[in-house]
Amino acid sequence: MAGSLPPIQVTPIGVIRSVFTDRFGIPRQPNLVTAVEARLILLPPYDREEALDGLDGFSHIWLVFLFHTCIGAGWRPKVRPPRLGGRRKIGVFASRAPYRPNPIGLSAVAYLGSERTTEGLTLRLRGVDLLDGTPVLDIKPYLRYADAIPTASAGFADEPPRADQPVLFTTEAQDQLLRLDPDGARQLRRLIVQTLQLDPRPGYMDRYPERTEFAMRLADLEIGWRQTDRAALVYRVAPAPKEPGACDDSGPIPR
């Protein structure tokens, strides 16, 4: 009987380093925010170059990962996906929510190559939608002929999310950006714009029109903005303590 199967233990092969240091603001699918790179640092004994032999021929890879902040949170048979504005419940197996019997996620991301750094054997990635510190369980090459199905239907998520919200900056925020990223190497402005264009707020926020100010963490920064029905106005870009996000209902689920 299935119920008598013993528990299966898994071991992370690596850890993600990304600019998403808080759950609020993480894009809800991969490849929606591409302004900056992320890194997958392989852990011993998996940090061996021969384990990556042949991977350079692939432009994208699958990451199998753990929603590590949700471990121990329990699973829910029905969830409220952000794509439906948090108003409608659907079965957990019809969603990518983290509240699963096994909190495992799957993301297809761009693979930019590997290098040996002071942190260890590192894979350079783009389009990552993962919290900084996410444990990765496995890597698999993305196969275009098998993994992309043009005729597939996608239920309530048949179209990509809108990413057309105007993002404006106050003069003070522009000055702060210039001080923090004087040569543009960190791509901070592009990162903020791509993230806010997707409107990371929970879908139910339209019930609270009086709340117009929001903040999120990106890398080591805190971004503050005012939300109107027409645009997001960034008024603060300042250093902030690094605090990993938790698995709770206080903000949008990042999937």
Side-chain angles (χ1 to χ4, degrees), residues 83-103:
R83 191 61 181 271
L84 296 176
R87 295 178 178 82
R88 175 184 157 198
K89 283 189 174 184
I90 63 170
V92 67
F93 297 132
S95 82
R96 297 191 176 189
Y99 304 99
R100 321 188 70 79
N102 297 296

Side-chain angles (χ1 to χ4, degrees), residues 13 39 113 162 201 206:
I13 64 165
R39 306 187 313 282
R162 295 182 61 180
R201 299 175 303 149
D206 58 3

Side-chain angles (χ1 to χ4, degrees), residues 20-58:
F20 301 114
T21 50
D22 189 79
R23 202 169 52 91
F24 183 34
I26 298 178
R28 292 164 184 157
Q29 294 298 334
N31 300 301
L32 297 178
V33 174
T34 59
V36 295
E37 292 184 15
R39 306 187 313 282
L40 169 57
I41 301 170
L42 296 181
L43 302 172
Y46 314 108
D47 57 339
R48 299 172 60 171
E49 279 82 357
E50 59 262 44
L52 302 178
D53 188 23
L55 194 60
D56 283 345
F58 294 89

Side-chain angles (χ1 to χ4, degrees), residues 58-170:
F58 294 89
S59 64
H60 291 74
I61 58 175
W62 289 105
L63 300 179
V64 183
F65 63 91
L66 280 176
F67 290 105
H68 61 298
T69 61
C70 295
I71 295 174
W75 74 287
R76 304 175 186 179
K78 303 205 80 171
V79 296
R80 299 179 186 270
R83 191 61 181 271
L84 296 176
R87 295 178 178 82
R88 175 184 157 198
K89 283 189 174 184
I90 63 170
V92 67
F93 297 132
S95 82
R96 297 191 176 189
Y99 304 99
R100 321 188 70 79
N102 297 296
I104 295 173
L106 183 68
S107 286
V109 301
Y111 172 60
L112 306 179
S114 64
E115 59 187 1
R116 178 73 66 173
T117 71
T118 56
E119 296 178 292
L121 184 55
T122 301
L123 279 67
R124 296 171 49 227
L125 310 171
R126 193 178 294 277
V128 165
D129 58 337
L130 304 181
L131 185 67
D132 184 62
T134 293
V136 172
L137 302 178
D138 202 2
I139 303 164
K140 298 180 185 293
Y142 179 92
L143 301 179
R144 185 175 57 187
Y145 73 88
D147 297 338
I149 306 173
T151 58
S153 59
F156 62 86
D158 200 45
E159 296 292 332
R162 295 182 61 180
D164 56 358
Q165 172 172 245
V167 180
L168 310 174
F169 292 79
T170 65

